[in-house]
Amino acid sequence: MSVRVTAVMVAYNRRELLGEALAGLAAQSRPVDRLIVVDNASDDGSGEFAEESLAADGPWGSGPG
């Protein structure tokens, strides 16, 4: 049986901390298989930052295309 790990991150107006939080998850010894970011209607760009980070190249993103 293979164990899958899902992380859920809740954010509200903490855009300045999201990059650090994502980097911390990426640095874990056991990789996260799925990441769910819940943006609670932030008005500081947190949701957009999360979307851009998850779409970009890197440990979370799907890369180009």
Side-chain angles (χ1 to χ4, degrees):
M1 173 197 263
S2 138
V3 176
R4 295 185 51 87
V5 175
T6 298
V8 179
M9 180 184 300
V10 179
Y12 178 71
N13 286 339
R14 292 294 183 193
R15 184 181 191 281
E16 73 278 4
L17 300 176
L18 279 177
E20 185 177 340
L22 290 171
L25 278 173
Q28 297 298 307
S29 58
R30 169 56 172 94
V32 174
D33 297 302
R34 184 169 139 178
L35 173 62
I36 299 169
V37 178
V38 179
D39 176 51
N40 289 327
S42 298
D43 58 11
D44 71 341
S46 294
E48 293 83 358
F49 179 82
E51 284 182 14
E52 291 168 5
S53 296
L54 298 176
D57 287 328
W60 305 113
S62 57

